[in-house]
Amino acid sequence: MGIKVQGNKIYLPKIGWMRFHNSRAIPTGFTIKAATIRQRQDGWYVSVRIEDKTIPDYILKPLTDIKSVLGCDLGITKLVHLSDGHQVKNPKCATNKKTKRTLKIRQRRVNRKVKGSKNRKKAAVLVGRLHQKISDKRQAYQWEIAGLIASRKVDVIAVEDLNVSGMLKRCRVKVDETTGRFLSNGQSRKKGLNRSISDASWSELIQKIEYMAAKSGKVLIKVNPKHTSQKCNACGHVDASSRDKEKFICVACGHIDHADINAAKNIKELAVSNIASIVCGDSAKLEPRGSKRPKYCKEISARSMSKRVEPGNLSNKDIKAAMS
Ligand SMILES: [Zn+2]
C-alpha cells in the first residue's frame, strides 16, 4: 500500500510523488487498492483500482428464474449476430483497406531509413501511434457493443466457447512425397483470415459482454460451438452442405435463414438445454448433443418436412394416405 492521490499528483511506492493528468476523480468512500502502470506509444498511463466494501456485489439471477435467452454468434463480416435477428457490424479497425494501406506505407518508411538512425526512430513512432489509435478505436467500439448486447431485455446471454488460439494456428506443412518439395498448403490465404480473427478479438469482446451483463444481473453462458453453424435450427439436421456462404438452406427440410442468425439461434437453444439440465440436476445431460439428440431431430424433421411442402404439390405421405 501507500498509493496516494492528491489533485494532480500521485504517490507511487519506490518512485515517490509524480505529477499526472487526473482524468477521473476517485469517488468518496473508496479506498485505493492497487495501481497499474503501463507504457504506451504516447506516454505512461496509470490505472487505479479502488474498492468500497459497503457496496454489494452484483447479484446474478438464479438459473431457475430464467425466462429468456439471447444467442450471440461472433463473426468476421458482421461482428455479432443475435438470435433475435439483429446484426452488429464489424468496423475492422486494423484490417480495413484504408488502415492496411496507411500501416504499410508507414512501415515501409521505417524500413527505408538507415538502421539505428534518429529518422528511423521517428518513423517507427508513427507506426506505433497508428497501432495505438487502432487499439483505442477497437476498445471503444467493443464497450459500446457489449453495453448494447447487455441492455437487451433477456435473462441470459449465450456465446460460443471459442478456441481462438486454435483458430490462429498455421496450416500444416504439405510435402510432395516423391520430390520432397513443399506444396501450397493454403497458409498465405489463411494469413489474411488470421489477421481478421485477431482484429475482431472475440475473446476480448466476450469478456466485456460478461462484465456488462453481470452489471445488469444477467448471466453469461458459454456453449460448445460444435456444429452450431451447420445445424438446421428448424429440424436439427447437421450438414455442412446446408450452408451456402451467407445463406443457410437446409438440405433436409428446406428451411431458409441467414447462416449466422441460424447459428445464433442454435447457440441460444444449446444454452436453453444446458440451463434445463442444470436446473433438473442431471449433470449427465450437461454434455450437449449426446446420442439422444439425433433421434429427436429425425422425428421433428419428418414433421416439418411435410409441413413445408409447397401448396398444390402432394407429398409422398399425402399420396400414401390418399391411396390407402
Ligand atoms: Zn432443416
Side-chain angles (χ1 to χ4, degrees), residues 231-237 242 248 250-255 301 304 308:
K231 202 173 116 187
C232 169
N233 189 254
C235 71
H237 182 78
S242 291
F248 188 93
C250 180
V251 289
C253 75
H255 172 70
S301 81
S304 47
R308 270 164 219 276

Side-chain angles (χ1 to χ4, degrees), residues 193-207:
L193 179 65
N194 278 355
R195 283 186 182 159
S196 296
I197 292 172
S198 303
D199 190 21
S201 56
W202 292 319
S203 34
E204 272 187 54
L205 179 63
I206 290 175
Q207 268 180 7

Side-chain angles (χ1 to χ4, degrees), residues 68-72 82-84 149 152 154 156-159 264 268:
S68 50
V69 179
L70 181 74
C72 306
L82 303 178
S83 57
D84 59 8
I149 292 170
R152 297 245 157 212
V154 288
V156 168
I157 294 162
V159 293
K268 175 187 170 177

Side-chain angles (χ1 to χ4, degrees), residues 87-105:
Q87 300 178 338
V88 176
K89 70 166 197 199
N90 185 1
K92 295 197 173 174
C93 300
T95 46
N96 67 54
K97 227 177 177 180
K98 197 181 155 202
T99 315
K100 264 190 339 202
R101 195 177 128 85
T102 319
L103 202 58
K104 213 173 176 181
I105 291 169

